[in-house]
Amino acid sequence: MNQDLVLILDLGGEDNSRVVRAVRALGVYSEVRAHNITKKELLEIKNLKGIILNGGKNRIVEGKTIFEKRYIHTIGVPVLSIEHSSPYCNPDIGKLPKKDSELLALLEPFLFEKCKAQPNWNMKNFVNDQIELLRKQIGEEKVLLALSGGVDSSVVAALLFKAVGDRLHCVHVNHGMLRKGESEQVIEVFEKQFGVNLIYVDSRELFLNKLKGVSDPEKKRKIIGREFITVFEQEARRLDGIRFLGQGTIYPDIVESGTKTGKAVKAHHNAGGLPKDLKFELVEPLKYLFKDEVRACGKQLGLPDDMVFRQPFPGPGLGVRCLGEITRDRLEAVRESDAILREEFGKIGLDRRVWQYFTLIPDIKSVGVKDGERYEGWAVIIRAVNTVDAMQATIEPPHAKVLQTITNRILNEVNGVNRVLYDLSPKPPATIEWE
Ligand code: XMP
């Protein structure tokens, strides 16, 4: 790492991410580390310029040992303490200010006057650092990546390709529940434009067959996750001599997994959980980036805007938006209506303003009329939400004009649909996805 670093030590603070982001917003690279980091580990960190002790409501009692030994003050870099006191240190900041601007004003003198840190954190430097680190880690070996086409895996692919070129092997599994045009874009950008080694696996029939007759949402999620691993594993076994596996882990996954004890509401599906005999060493070049930084990194690497600014998309894809048992007609109707929604939101710039928006179809029909005759059709529901961390979400207020256009287009262009509705429920009590 060629950039200066200021560490946040998590002593039970609730706002570790906010402090990291504030330090980075001032142009200085920052990471959160656990309270029990050792003196040796601290001394080994290159370019360490300062330490911020982030205490708070969830005070970590064992953390006090690091102050009793007083070694935190013998590392040779300035220490700033937030909401934490001990016999050896009083808090410099009693409480984290609620406004982001006030926090920046508090941190600025510490970073630049006390720590003398250089504001040299930017994407160009990050990409160069990562390429250097990846080359060091991977050496002359090969690396495998499950490339879904989502933002994170796409940015990892572009970064790995820059670092190791044709020693990167990507596998794109089309499980049949991707959005319209998604697989085509992965092939176009990565295989045709970049020249990445890409294996395209068409598993659409396999997934639909495995999901036949299954209507329980958790069972559907588990089947899609399990089959994905099976297909990916088959491809991995076919490719000989691969030692590394790339993963699109990002920073919130790491910061949150250390502090959150909450019960899982849904079985999220990501490309983990490979069989134990497939022994890969993980490569996670985005693990210190927040989502907006991942997007900036993608832009720096020359990925197209509609890939980089793509909204979040669940691993089980449209499978959890085609409610109950997945049928071909409803799955197609979800895909087509989603494409119309995306196109119309894009035309008026809502695609950049709304955090996540999509359509879904419940497995009930309602009575309608077509050509003067009774006609039972599906209802398409539009959901558009805004959130910071997906833990809570508010709805995007309905925009009457564009919703009317979208409704007319869906009713005219999508087979089997006779109603369009807008979901006004925030999270909680609803979740963002319906299943
Ligand atoms: P919920 O429905 O739990 O969704 O409010 C929160 C966010 O997570 C996305 N989501 C997933 N992402 N794998 C993922 O990577 C999954 O299995 C998954 N399920 C939901 C959802 O789209 C929303 O952005």
Side-chain angles (χ1 to χ4, degrees):
M1 180 70 61
N2 296 316
Q3 302 172 68
D4 286 353
L5 169 69
V6 168
L7 270 196
I8 316 296
L9 285 198
D10 176 11
L11 302 187
E14 288 175 298
D15 275 329
N16 291 314
S17 305
R18 203 152 78 84
V19 184
V20 175
R21 291 181 69 78
V23 176
R24 291 188 189 180
L26 290 164
V28 178
Y29 183 60
S30 177
E31 287 174 15
V32 182
R33 292 293 173 87
H35 62 89
N36 54 357
I37 191 165
T38 64
K39 181 172 182 176
K40 185 168 172 280
E41 284 167 333
L42 278 173
L43 287 171
E44 276 168 5
I45 297 173
K46 211 176 137 194
N47 294 341
L48 180 65
K49 293 289 172 187
I51 296 172
I52 297 177
L53 307 174
N54 192 25
K57 226 164 129 192
N58 314 321
R59 192 164 299 246
I60 288 179
V61 180
E62 315 88 80
K64 76 181 193 296
T65 55
I66 66 173
F67 306 104
E68 280 165 3
K69 288 179 190 151
R70 303 181 74 173
Y71 77 64
I72 206 78
H73 295 283
T74 65
I75 302 295
V77 295
V79 177
L80 178 87
S81 146
I82 301 174
E83 285 194 62
H84 178 85
S85 62
S86 81
Y88 305 106
C89 107
N90 292 319
D92 300 297
I93 299 178
K95 241 189 168 11
L96 265 193
K98 282 263 178 295
K99 287 191 188 149
D100 242 22
S101 55
E102 284 173 22
L103 181 58
L104 296 187
L106 279 172
L107 293 173
E108 203 167 357
F110 173 72
L111 298 179
F112 302 116
E113 287 161 31
K114 283 213 165 145
C115 303
K116 307 253 182 292
Q118 293 297 315
N120 54 6
W121 158 244
N122 60 47
M123 261 321 135
K124 197 163 165 229
N125 287 345
F126 173 83
V127 166
N128 290 337
D129 274 354
Q130 283 306 318
I131 289 173
E132 202 180 305
L133 288 172
L134 287 169
R135 285 186 181 151
K136 216 182 262 172
Q137 185 184 5
I138 297 164
E140 292 305 309
E141 305 274 348
K142 292 182 195 161
V143 53
L144 178 68
L145 176 73
L147 176 56
S148 68
V151 184
D152 304 338
S153 69
S154 298
V155 176
V156 175
L159 203 46
L160 281 169
F161 184 63
K162 265 231 147 89
V164 301
D166 64 4
R167 281 178 289 118
L168 167 67
H169 295 265
C170 292
V171 175
H172 175 71
V173 178
N174 183 353
H175 56 33
M177 282 156 283
L178 297 173
R179 287 169 290 192
K180 193 172 178 176
E182 218 155 26
S183 281
E184 290 82 352
Q185 191 186 33
V186 168
I187 294 168
E188 173 60 35
V189 171
F190 288 100
E191 193 172 56
K192 303 214 171 117
Q193 292 176 20
F194 281 34
V196 171
N197 291 319
L198 178 71
I199 298 164
Y200 171 77
V201 192
D202 184 351
S203 306
R204 287 177 291 181
E205 286 303 313
L206 173 91
F207 277 80
L208 276 181
N209 286 335
K210 293 276 174 190
L211 287 160
K212 217 174 236 156
V214 184
S215 55
D216 177 73
E218 284 303 282
K219 279 199 185 125
K220 282 165 64 180
R221 281 176 165 270
K222 290 206 173 110
I223 290 171
I224 297 170
R226 195 185 61 217
E227 285 311 310
F228 181 87
I229 301 280
T230 307
V231 172
F232 185 66
E233 183 207 326
Q234 273 165 6
E235 295 306 320
R237 286 188 202 279
R238 255 194 266 273
L239 291 162
D240 235 14
I242 298 202
R243 192 170 140 205
F244 292 94
L245 179 72
Q247 293 237 298
T249 317
I250 66 169
Y251 208 34
D253 305 336
I254 294 187
V255 175
E256 280 168 24
S257 62
T259 52
K260 293 257 157 71
T261 50
K263 233 169 132 189
V265 178
K266 294 173 188 177
H268 274 214
H269 145 224
N270 294 311
L274 285 174
K276 292 222 169 25
D277 67 317
L278 276 177
K279 287 197 186 75
F280 288 115
E281 206 175 294
L282 290 187
V283 178
E284 299 173 295
L286 307 181
K287 71 175 177 198
Y288 291 117
L289 295 189
F290 291 96
K291 196 76 182 189
D292 53 330
E293 294 168 336
V294 173
R295 295 188 205 278
C297 182
K299 281 214 68 133
Q300 178 72 30
L301 289 159
L303 290 177
D305 273 12
D306 57 352
M307 193 170 244
V308 163
F309 293 101
R310 180 167 286 176
Q311 48 173 325
F313 188 58
L318 302 182
V320 289
R321 296 176 182 170
C322 181
L323 306 193
E325 182 182 355
I326 297 170
T327 54
R328 281 169 207 267
D329 60 342
R330 275 190 309 126
L331 187 59
E332 269 329 295
V334 175
R335 200 182 335 262
E336 290 301 322
S337 55
D338 178 73
I340 292 171
L341 173 70
R342 285 194 286 144
E343 192 185 324
E344 294 299 329
F345 266 31
K347 280 186 194 162
I348 56 167
L350 282 175
D351 55 338
R352 292 288 182 98
R353 272 190 28 218
V354 183
W355 195 81
Q356 194 173 12
Y357 49 95
F358 53 87
T359 63
L360 58 114
I361 304 191
D363 53 350
I364 44 161
K365 282 188 169 172
S366 73
V367 176
V369 56
K370 195 176 181 183
D371 303 327
E373 293 196 15
R374 179 189 167 100
Y375 162 68
E376 290 183 6
W378 305 113
V380 166
I381 296 173
I382 297 173
R383 184 133 173 83
V385 296
N386 292 304
T387 174
V388 175
D389 54 8
M391 304 299 287
Q392 299 183 332
T394 55
I395 58 133
E396 173 70 14
H399 301 268
K401 207 165 156 209
V402 72
L403 285 177
Q404 198 57 63
T405 308
I406 293 165
T407 301
N408 291 341
R409 282 196 60 190
I410 291 176
L411 293 177
N412 283 316
E413 296 172 34
V414 183
N415 284 337
V417 175
N418 65 359
R419 279 173 209 271
V420 177
L421 298 94
Y422 195 78
D423 183 349
L424 293 173
S425 329
K427 174 182 181 177
T431 49
I432 295 176
E433 304 289 346
W434 273 45
E435 284 194 339

